[in-house]
Amino acid sequence: MVLAASQRVLARLLVVASVALVVSCGNDAREPSITVGAGDSVESSVLAEIYAGALARTGARTAVAARLGSRADYLAALDADRVQVVAEHTGALLTHFDEHAAEQLPKKVADAVSAALPEGLVIADFADGADLRPRLLLTAQAAAGDKVRSVADLAPRCGELTVGVAVAPGLMPSGRSERVSGCDFAATMAFPDPAALRKALLDGRIQAGLLSGPPELAPGATDGLAVLSDDGYAVRAENVLPLFRKGLLDQRQIKKLNYVAGELTTDELAGMIRRVRDEGAAPGDIARDWLDQHAL
């Protein structure tokens, strides 16, 4: 009698354990790991860690696949489902998928990106506070003498000027960094870095400069120079946004990415990139600190 009762108890315990195991396995099947891909730039690695960290805080299992290569490489990984989320720039992404698109303003560019995406890919909100457009530069003396404060002021003279172009280190590449709407320069010269661009401007070898990315990424590179305003977006909008596979994220996870977009600023992103690029900080640590500071 005692033995039979013990066997019945043991059998019930085994059934409960089996059910728990099935439920656990079922949950794992319903909640696959989300891999966020990053290209070779510092910016891409920082943003990948931010997105992965934000999604992890919704309870998702996340990982980061770093140094996947160029834009074409990590977009191919996304298309093949080797990664499920990547960070991008609105303008560069639009150029990638529709090189003839004419949109310039932030919201219109984002809408055009959404329309141009291949089937199976979608975007969430773009970070309107993270403005990563190239900046047009003149020497402070030339800007003051000619009363040029904006790109629109310069446009009538562009055909007389040679422009130099340099990329801010650490930034994801822009899709069309040399194109300024309504401003066709006489010639274009490439420079290896912002410091070389600044020297060429101050020496008079070029008359205008185009810095690919915000000056905050290159401290000192605009000393003695004027950064022209561009309220009309003659330079196409370049705002950060997440690109991901359709049907992958639930509404709670998309909302979390939208919160990230609402908090991210040019200054903060530039600061994070510089800490990784110049100080050797770990992108994951930088991302975690930023998420904590913004209660995300």
Side-chain angles (χ1 to χ4, degrees):
M1 293 287 290
V2 173
L3 179 61
S6 298
Q7 289 175 333
R8 286 195 296 273
V9 170
L10 178 60
R12 285 196 294 270
L13 289 174
L14 288 173
V15 169
V16 171
S18 299
V19 170
L21 181 61
V22 169
V23 170
S24 174
C25 293
N27 285 341
D28 285 345
R30 288 194 298 271
E31 297 180 6
S33 178
I34 299 169
T35 300
V36 184
D40 289 344
S41 70
V42 174
E43 181 197 2
S44 188
S45 66
V46 169
L47 289 171
E49 293 287 356
I50 288 175
Y51 289 157
L55 291 171
R57 295 181 184 201
T58 68
R61 294 187 296 118
T62 65
V64 172
R67 303 198 67 80
L68 294 178
S70 67
R71 174 171 285 114
D73 293 327
Y74 61 73
L75 289 181
L78 182 66
D79 183 61
D81 200 22
R82 295 195 300 274
V83 301
Q84 290 76 47
V85 182
V86 298
E88 258 297 354
H89 291 175
T90 52
L93 196 58
L94 181 57
T95 299
H96 181 85
F97 287 117
D98 184 1
E99 61 180 347
H100 301 297
E103 289 81 1
Q104 299 286 111
L105 300 174
K107 179 65 165 59
K108 291 184 178 296
V109 171
D111 289 345
V113 167
S114 184
L117 288 176
E119 181 65 28
L121 297 181
V122 292
I123 56 174
D125 289 354
F126 66 91
D128 56 2
D131 180 0
L132 302 175
R133 283 178 293 167
R135 270 49 167 190
L136 198 57
L137 313 172
L138 297 180
T139 65
Q141 182 179 7
D146 295 335
K147 297 181 180 179
V148 175
R149 297 182 177 85
S150 68
V151 178
D153 292 338
L154 186 67
R157 296 187 50 221
C158 288
E160 308 165 8
L161 308 177
T162 295
V163 65
V165 179
V167 176
L171 202 64
M172 285 193 285
S174 172
R176 44 183 243 171
S177 61
E178 298 176 13
R179 297 171 66 177
V180 182
S181 180
C183 191
D184 296 321
F185 292 103
T188 300
M189 294 178 62
F191 290 89
D193 54 55
L197 175 66
R198 174 179 178 270
K199 187 175 187 305
L201 267 169
L202 294 175
D203 290 347
R205 288 190 289 136
I206 55 176
Q207 295 78 52
L210 198 59
L211 177 62
S212 181
E216 293 89 343
L217 278 171
T222 58
D223 291 351
L225 305 180
V227 181
L228 302 187
S229 64
D230 185 22
D231 295 340
Y233 284 83
V235 179
R236 175 181 278 175
E238 293 284 359
N239 298 96
V240 172
L241 86 169
L243 172 67
F244 52 95
R245 294 182 64 84
K246 187 176 182 179
L248 170 73
L249 304 181
D250 61 31
Q251 287 303 309
R252 185 169 52 111
Q253 292 163 341
I254 294 172
K255 190 174 182 180
K256 180 68 78 169
L257 293 182
N258 289 343
Y259 284 151
V260 169
E263 296 291 329
L264 193 63
T265 67
T266 305
D267 287 348
E268 288 180 329
L269 181 55
M272 288 187 281
I273 292 170
R274 287 170 56 193
R275 286 184 62 191
V276 174
R277 183 193 71 194
D278 302 337
E279 302 172 18
D285 293 341
I286 296 296
R288 191 177 307 108
D289 289 347
W290 185 84
L291 289 167
D292 288 344
Q293 290 166 12
H294 291 269
L296 293 170

